Amino acid sequence: MEILWLRRDLRLSDNEIFSAGAGAKRSILPLFIVDPQFFRAQPVSPLKVRFLAESLANLHKNLQERGSRLTILEGDSVELIKTLTETLLDQGQRPRLRRNRDAQTSYGLERDRKIDQYFNERNLQTCWGTNHFLQTTLNLDQWWREYHGFQQCPLLVSPTHLSTPDFDLALPQLTPAEFAQKYGGHITLPSSPFYGGEDQALVTLDSFLTHRFRGYHWRLSRPWEAQQGATSLLSAHLYWGTISSRTIYQYVYSHKTTRPQDKFALKAFCDRLRWFDKFTGRLYFHPEWANCNQYPEFDEIYNLAPLDDERKSLFHAWQNGQTGYPLVDASMRQLNTTGWMSFRMRALCATFLTINCGVSWQYGADYFLAKLIDGSAAINNWQWQAQAGATNPMSESFRIYNPTKNLKDKDPKLRFVYHWVPELRGYPLEDLLTSKPSTQNKYVLPIVDWAKTRRTNGKRLSDLRRRIRDRITVEGGDVYDDAIKAQATVEKYLAVKDEQYAEYQRQQASCTVS
């Protein structure tokens, strides 16, 4: 019996554990566990739950068409895997556990360690598959070659027949419909451009490559264009693994186009796909960076100390789209309603909260994760740290987005702002650039003076970055290595990282399924 434990790899095609499980010529048990930690770590967007429910239902349908089915269990992953394994052992089975590697926070690493220990103690086999490109190297050229080598490996073919016999698990199970009803059936949700499932992922990719990709390189930074489908709409699919990054990569590079601007648009998209893979690898090897500053000097201003009354008020206004800056407010209201906003607007809202309002990036990152349908700690939390100016201190400059300038440049016709901030309809752009609606009590006053906070808070941040550069220059050594050594909390993860990396290197020796 092959236990195929699915986490964020909810697909049949280009999925190593399905290809390997089918190749083992044994019966399989596709398994998904609804772990309370998913809901316990922070509030979860109902839209993300709905997307997951749709993805589970689609996977179950596709498995049934191949003679199998999806088993959904609910509870603590470690205890459920143990109970399931003991049940199969009592029935004369010798179960083998297959999982794909997944970028995890400390909880996931500890969970996997306990399960591996349990299987080792019982002399049972566990096998790891490669769901993502996971490589760390200081040599950018080497990383680039290995990344493209991985992405160009032949896609693993979806099995045409899978065998899952009927047997009593002696464990309560949920059907996909029961999961949807229990965790999201009581919530009225708005319409969303994101629909879960492997089948829908391929439809979305096809529609993107057919027509929506045109102008991607500039339209993704225009919030109204992005809202109308100018982006790929694949981010949630990548998060839940209803499609692999490698599949998208190969579909894009096989797309035939002769127009230079179309080629540029596809290149811009592939750049962002590569960022997704790189951020995923970064979290895999450094899970502590999901919550900790990469450089300890930034702990002075970015930490999880309780917010004082002033910052509580600023944070609350930011959350509710009541900052007095139209583009920030429109973006936050879009997030609260739809569970999504474009990347540039995420960056703008992040710098506004951290640098202008002085709220630690961890608070904003957690709020985004609770709201985003595609919220991934790998990208979200690192980008929050980056937009807060807490990464790459060897650079003497860092970006602070100007919400007024971006309003003029990215939404000059105010279609995005009028849609999400209806109290501003009828005011021309000139009035919004000079805050006239605020003076007439039609719109909230700005909660901070952007120019003033940019100078004062920006200078404090610049001074910290200079201190780090000076320290690294005096101590010598590589910047990346120094960042690892400087972070005290990283030590407990190093052994896990080295073990993960060694195992991954062994598996990457070839592109064939072991």
Side-chain angles (χ1 to χ4, degrees):
M1 170 68 72
E2 304 276 315
I3 303 175
L4 310 183
W5 184 14
L6 297 144
R7 284 94 74 86
R8 284 193 284 268
D9 47 0
L10 304 180
R11 64 183 185 275
L12 293 179
S13 61
D14 199 39
N15 190 331
E16 187 168 330
I17 63 172
F18 274 111
S19 298
K25 306 300 182 184
R26 304 170 74 191
S27 58
I28 65 166
L29 176 62
L31 174 69
F32 183 83
I33 297 176
V34 184
D35 196 313
Q37 180 66 20
F38 174 63
F39 299 96
R40 186 184 301 134
Q42 69 266 325
V44 179
S45 164
L47 285 164
K48 181 180 281 191
V49 175
R50 183 172 75 178
F51 189 95
L52 172 57
E54 292 166 349
S55 299
L56 294 175
N58 184 244
L59 178 59
H60 181 61
K61 175 188 75 70
N62 290 340
L63 284 168
Q64 285 183 315
E65 292 173 354
R66 292 161 173 80
S68 182
R69 64 182 181 276
L70 179 64
T71 296
I72 303 176
L73 302 180
E74 181 183 23
D76 180 85
S77 296
V78 176
E79 295 306 315
L80 285 175
I81 291 289
K82 288 181 179 180
T83 302
L84 173 61
T85 303
E86 294 295 338
T87 299
L88 294 175
L89 288 171
D90 291 342
Q91 296 177 7
Q93 301 274 357
R94 291 288 297 174
R96 175 164 51 191
L97 178 64
R98 292 189 182 274
R99 291 163 287 173
N100 281 320
R101 293 206 175 277
D102 189 20
Q104 296 285 355
T105 56
S106 57
Y107 169 80
L109 292 173
E110 181 65 14
R111 176 201 62 194
D112 286 347
R113 186 194 65 78
K114 290 179 180 178
I115 291 173
D116 284 340
Q117 180 181 354
Y118 167 80
F119 270 74
N120 289 335
E121 290 172 352
R122 281 152 182 76
N123 197 28
L124 296 173
Q125 188 177 5
T126 62
C127 301
W128 288 96
T130 53
N131 190 36
H132 303 285
F133 175 76
L134 301 173
Q135 177 63 285
T136 179
T137 176
L138 298 177
N139 186 321
L140 184 59
D141 290 337
Q142 179 185 346
W143 187 95
W144 185 275
R145 288 193 302 271
E146 293 180 1
Y147 172 72
H148 286 284
F150 174 84
Q151 294 290 50
Q152 292 165 8
C153 285
L155 298 178
L156 301 173
V157 179
S158 174
T160 57
H161 179 74
L162 298 167
S163 174
T164 301
D166 292 325
F167 55 89
D168 184 12
L169 292 182
L171 287 167
Q173 302 176 40
L174 291 174
T175 67
E178 289 170 341
F179 169 83
Q181 179 61 34
K182 180 172 183 178
Y183 289 100
H186 61 288
I187 301 174
T188 301
L189 297 175
S191 60
S192 170
F194 295 94
Y195 300 95
E198 181 176 7
D199 294 348
Q200 185 61 44
L202 293 172
V203 170
T204 302
L205 176 58
D206 180 70
S207 73
F208 178 65
L209 293 179
T210 299
H211 59 90
R212 290 191 295 109
F213 78 94
R214 292 191 174 90
Y216 173 88
H217 51 291
W218 64 268
R219 295 173 69 204
L220 80 148
S221 294
R222 273 67 171 180
W224 181 253
E225 297 281 350
Q227 183 173 308
Q228 302 308 305
T231 64
S232 72
L233 301 179
L234 289 167
S235 54
H237 289 285
L238 284 166
Y239 175 80
W240 284 113
T242 53
I243 193 170
S244 70
S245 170
R246 183 161 56 191
T247 297
I248 298 174
Y249 177 99
Q250 295 190 20
Y251 271 59
V252 171
Y253 275 93
S254 66
H255 186 75
K256 304 300 182 184
T257 182
T258 57
R259 300 198 330 161
Q261 60 267 43
D262 287 352
K263 292 181 179 180
F264 191 83
L266 291 177
K267 180 185 180 300
F269 172 70
C270 286
D271 287 343
R272 281 153 183 81
L273 183 65
R274 187 177 68 253
W275 295 347
F276 167 84
D277 293 316
K278 196 165 188 177
F279 290 140
T280 300
R282 179 174 283 148
L283 179 64
Y284 181 80
F285 291 109
H286 299 287
E288 74 286 350
W289 285 351
N291 299 299
C292 299
N293 293 306
Q294 185 184 10
Y295 296 87
E297 283 89 346
F298 290 116
D299 292 349
E300 292 183 20
I301 57 176
Y302 296 136
N303 54 66
L304 283 174
L307 300 177
D308 58 28
D309 289 342
E310 179 184 1
R311 284 179 172 78
K312 279 183 183 178
S313 177
L314 295 175
F315 187 38
H316 181 75
W318 175 86
Q319 288 175 309
N320 291 283
Q322 296 288 341
T323 68
Y325 289 89
L327 199 54
V328 173
D329 292 340
S331 298
M332 292 304 298
R333 296 183 195 187
Q334 179 191 36
L335 171 67
N336 293 334
T337 302
T338 70
W340 187 82
M341 71 167 75
S342 64
F343 177 80
R344 189 179 184 92
M345 294 304 102
R346 297 184 197 197
L348 177 129
C349 291
T351 59
F352 183 85
L353 181 70
T354 55
I355 298 177
N356 296 108
C357 295
V359 176
S360 292
W361 64 263
Q362 292 93 333
Y363 284 94
D366 284 348
Y367 187 77
F368 266 30
L369 277 184
K371 293 292 183 179
L372 286 168
I373 191 172
D374 60 356
S376 165
I379 298 178
N380 178 73
N381 290 33
W382 180 262
Q383 277 300 309
W384 266 92
Q385 192 167 167
Q387 301 304 334
T391 61
N392 192 23
M394 297 309 289
S395 172
E396 295 187 4
S397 63
F398 57 95
R399 176 175 288 183
I400 304 176
Y401 287 88
N402 185 329
T404 302
K405 181 179 184 299
N406 273 268
L407 176 64
K408 181 179 180 180
D409 293 345
K410 306 304 179 184
D411 191 32
K413 295 183 179 180
L414 301 178
R415 287 180 294 182
F416 183 69
V417 164
Y418 286 164
H419 181 83
W420 292 108
V421 191
E423 60 266 38
L424 291 178
R425 292 173 186 170
Y427 286 96
L429 178 63
E430 292 74 18
D431 283 1
L432 301 193
L433 297 177
T434 57
S435 300
K436 284 186 178 179
S438 300
T439 63
Q440 298 178 22
N441 296 321
K442 297 291 185 179
Y443 181 54
V444 294
L445 290 168
I447 58 174
V448 295
D449 183 323
W450 184 86
K452 180 180 179 180
T453 53
R454 180 187 183 278
R455 288 192 302 270
T456 56
N457 296 347
K459 182 180 184 305
R460 185 182 181 189
L461 192 56
S462 294
D463 291 343
L464 281 178
R465 293 170 64 88
R466 186 181 303 109
R467 278 170 46 191
I468 297 172
R469 289 197 298 274
D470 292 344
R471 173 175 60 79
I472 292 174
T473 301
V474 171
E475 294 178 0
D478 186 270
V479 178
Y480 186 80
D481 285 340
D482 180 82
I484 296 175
K485 295 173 185 176
Q487 182 61 61
T489 57
V490 80
E491 295 180 0
K492 64 182 178 181
Y493 295 99
L494 287 178
V496 176
K497 182 204 74 170
D498 291 341
E499 181 181 346
Q500 290 173 336
Y501 183 65
E503 172 66 18
Y504 177 74
Q505 288 289 74
R506 289 192 291 270
Q507 293 197 17
Q508 283 298 98
S510 70
C511 290
T512 58
V513 178
S514 59

